[in-house]
Amino acid sequence: MEEQYQPQNVEMNTQRFWQETNAFLAVEDFNKEKFYCLSMMPYPSGSLHMGHVRNYTIGDVISRYQYMLGKNVLQPMSWDAFGLPAENAAIANKIAPAVWTKKNIAHIRQQMNRMGFAYDWTREFATCDPSYYRWEQWFFLQLYKKGLIYRKNAEVNWDPVDETVLANEQVVNGRGWRSGALVERRQIPQWFLKITDYAEELLRDIDQLPHWPQQVKTMQRNWIGRSEGIEIQFEVEDQDPLTVYTTRPDTLYGVTFIAVAAQHPLSKKMVSRNPQLAQFVEECRNIKVAEADMATMEKRGIPLNLNAIHPLTGLPIPIWVANFVLQEYGSGALMGVPAHDERDFELAKKYQIEIKPVILPPNREWDFNQAAYGDEGILIDSDEFTGMESKSAKDAINHKLTEEKKGICKVHYRLRDWSIARQRYWGAPIPIIYCQKCGAQGVPEKDLPVVLPEDVKFDGVKSPLKTSRQFIDTTCPHCGGPAERETDTFDTFVESSWYYARLTCKKQNKAMLDARANYWLPVDQYVGGIEHAVLHLLYARFFHKLMRDEGLIHSDEPFTRLLSQGMVLNQGQKMSKSKGNTVDPQALIDQYGADTVRLFIMFAAPPEQSLEWSDSGVEGAHRFLKRLWSYAYEHRELVQKQNMLPESNAFGSTHWENADPMQVDLFRQIYVVLDQAKYDFERQQFNTVVSGCMKIFNLLNKIESTHNPQKIDIREIVIQKGLSILLRLLAPITPHLTHQLWVELNYGNTILDAPWPRSSPIVFKVETIELVVQINGKLRSRIRVAHDAATDVIEEAVKTDPKVSQLIEGKDIKKIIIVPGKLVNIVTAQ
């Protein structure tokens, strides 16, 4: 055993042992409880950053903990390899995306191994592997046959920099989520997946996720956006009627205008007759569509010089085109109620449109010239509904509209169908063939996969597939005539929506999934950032239900537990190359070793909270490991000797009633810390686990040989057992050092297979306890008293303690404060 802690040697030796013994190879074992732990697969963009290191360390600690509990653990790794960054980097560096991606994968894999992550690498794949996306293409064809996939001309979010369509979820504050470019509105043919068919189930099943963060569940509920309301028909002079959806029929008598979207058919119809309208519609093409932008932008509109007819009063209502109405939401038309809606109020004020209050607050006081009143209340000026409260008025008005066939009660969702096609090269080809005679045809399954050509050259940012006749030209699978392949590729979120399931079916090349998926799924613990709440996490839940309905799996949800880790900050800001505040993990590993990095990350903050980087914190973590190693070295012969004894001799035969009480109390404290640490492992508060390990280490350093010849000296037992507990508690966090010490001290061949420490097998009879003694809040001494000592006995013991009596001599004692089991504070006159 080395006298000094040499992390590089220790970690290299330990990793070699794991590799030679296939330590983390996962196989289906129905005799063991399974545990599937997965961290969100990385995008191989270059090197690991500290955010990655934190994410994957958390997942690894959880996996190792479950492994030591005796469970059959699966922790695999894969690569989210397709996507725009690789394509853009390839263009910038004049290198094929496949080459760039595979090079990065090799580098990050090496870094992960250096961190000691316990992955089953035999399951590794990249989503750009044809053997993976072949089954994605196959699944697309099954959904296409079922009518869950369709193609239509649609107005989409267009990123002019990346030259591709973006899903609504990929538009952040009106800009492309990767390029940051202002998003435009364009009409192009698009492939859509009917996620809206599953909107109700996706919403309902959120209640089946008790172990997900509340914030993520709330974000998904809001994104799905279920609302109950009524579709009302407004007749229009000489035109088709307008359908308007509202959740506030109680405000119907306050409607003073109808607003339609710039892209609404009625608006388009009137454009040719009105140049001002044509200009306004053109300006609306580039408006921001994010809700936050829509709420804050200037509300503008233009009248169509048409009137709708109020369904209950029969009065004419002017129709406007407004910039805050989106064609994709509802019917692209809404009823303007400026007295009770802030956006309508702003438009009405700008263009002097009538503001007609029909609801008053409970105190019946509101200045409608200053602001809209948007809450519910008491109806006024609403015919027979006047005097009703909003809730009952909604029911009554809905009933009347339905009875007169002027309205239909409906449930609406904010969620839109998922646009899954992208106009870029680096993605899985969509398996569709276009024939002029037969239309769009699915690629025959026997011809899958449609392989993406990897040896390509870029001319600008446009996809090379668009001009590759070798890729495009093919024959129609139906008539055999000339045809062309689809040149769009899948949105990369399609690949990340089902990879967790594929990882359970190693080397399966005959099917998308097999029975092993039902053994491992659902994932017991998923780890990843909250930024994926309405993107990846919603799509994965959707795909899981699609696979279930295809008969591929049995469960309803993909992830039982979700842990969304906090960010890594430096000087209060997220680490970023542009801010120049990043920390290179590799440099830290080279200097301190992977275990120090892992220990600091776990100790610095609870996993769900942000972590503030601290160089001194890293150094402190390293010092602790060095001290632990030195302690083990110093006591190695003692521990090795104890470990050579039969278990009964070392522990069970001890006459604890005759043991030194100070040593017994210290031993008891170790087990108290152990029980707390085990509880903290279960609630994933790893920072307090580390804190507990440090407490045990401090207790071990206090143990002394007994000075009482009448008592049994149990010092060696306490050290051997206490160090055993400490090493096992630390093993999931610092696996290299604890493995090496476990072997060096003759505890066993590998700490991985050691039983998880149990609570004390003996009931400690506590005779005396130690109390800290303070004078005016400052530590001055320690005393031991009987554990059930009365107050006056404790006070007397304190006053007669040699150190204390000397310090309080001649001083007026104001009061003595006793905190039971912990301390005594003497307050004296200063």
Side-chain angles (χ1 to χ4, degrees), residues 542-587:
F542 171 46
F543 249 72
H544 198 83
K545 296 175 189 303
L546 290 174
M547 292 189 290
R548 177 203 60 195
D549 292 347
E550 192 62 28
L552 297 169
I553 50 178
H554 296 159
S555 49
D556 293 326
E557 289 288 335
F559 313 119
T560 302
R561 288 177 177 270
L562 173 67
L563 193 160
S564 296
Q565 83 282 359
M567 292 188 294
V568 180
L569 308 177
N570 196 353
Q571 298 176 334
Q573 291 188 309
K574 182 181 179 181
M575 284 190 180
S576 164
K577 287 182 180 177
S578 62
K579 294 172 184 170
N581 63 348
T582 58
V583 175
D584 181 9
Q586 190 60 51

Side-chain angles (χ1 to χ4, degrees), residues 701-764:
N701 276 287
K702 287 182 180 178
I703 188 80
E704 297 176 354
S705 297
T706 181
H707 301 294
N708 187 345
Q710 305 301 316
K711 295 294 183 182
I712 298 174
D713 191 334
I714 60 169
R715 174 175 171 271
E716 293 188 1
I717 294 177
V718 174
I719 291 175
Q720 185 261 350
K721 289 296 176 187
L723 193 54
S724 162
I725 291 170
L726 172 56
L727 292 178
R728 283 178 286 170
L729 287 178
L730 265 182
I733 299 168
T734 58
H736 307 89
L737 175 141
T738 50
H739 167 82
Q740 189 72 31
L741 291 182
W742 191 259
V743 174
E744 297 281 6
L745 298 174
N746 288 347
Y747 281 112
N749 293 328
T750 170
I751 199 168
L752 277 173
D753 295 333
W756 191 242
R758 297 179 180 176
S759 299
S760 170
I762 59 174
V763 177
F764 290 103

Side-chain angles (χ1 to χ4, degrees), residues 325-430:
V325 185
L326 296 177
Q327 182 61 28
E328 294 76 27
Y329 288 85
S331 61
L334 56 80
M335 58 185 210
V337 191
H340 302 291
D341 182 277
E342 289 183 8
R343 294 179 308 178
D344 301 347
F345 180 84
E346 188 177 335
L347 189 79
K349 277 289 189 182
K350 184 178 181 71
Y351 298 104
Q352 293 82 49
I353 301 173
E354 180 187 6
I355 298 173
K356 182 183 177 185
V358 291
I359 295 178
L360 289 177
N363 64 4
R364 296 182 177 269
E365 292 182 3
W366 192 265
D367 185 351
F368 288 95
N369 285 319
Q370 297 301 316
Y373 174 70
D375 291 339
E376 296 184 343
I378 309 298
L379 270 67
I380 59 172
D381 296 332
S382 299
D383 290 344
E384 70 263 38
F385 308 104
T386 298
M388 285 185 173
E389 293 185 351
S390 286
K391 187 176 185 313
S392 54
K394 286 180 186 177
D395 295 338
I397 292 173
N398 283 349
H399 178 74
K400 182 169 183 175
L401 288 169
T402 304
E403 196 172 61
E404 295 183 2
K405 301 189 183 308
K406 294 175 179 175
I408 302 173
C409 291
K410 285 274 183 78
V411 173
H412 274 207
Y413 299 91
R414 180 177 176 272
L415 186 69
R416 303 289 97 188
D417 279 342
W418 178 9
S419 168
I420 57 172
R422 297 293 177 267
Q423 291 67 51
R424 296 300 295 261
Y425 156 73
W426 189 231
I430 295 176

Side-chain angles (χ1 to χ4, degrees), residues 478-491:
H478 186 67
C479 71
E484 295 188 346
R485 291 190 187 281
E486 170 65 83
T487 57
D488 284 359
T489 53
F490 284 125
D491 178 7

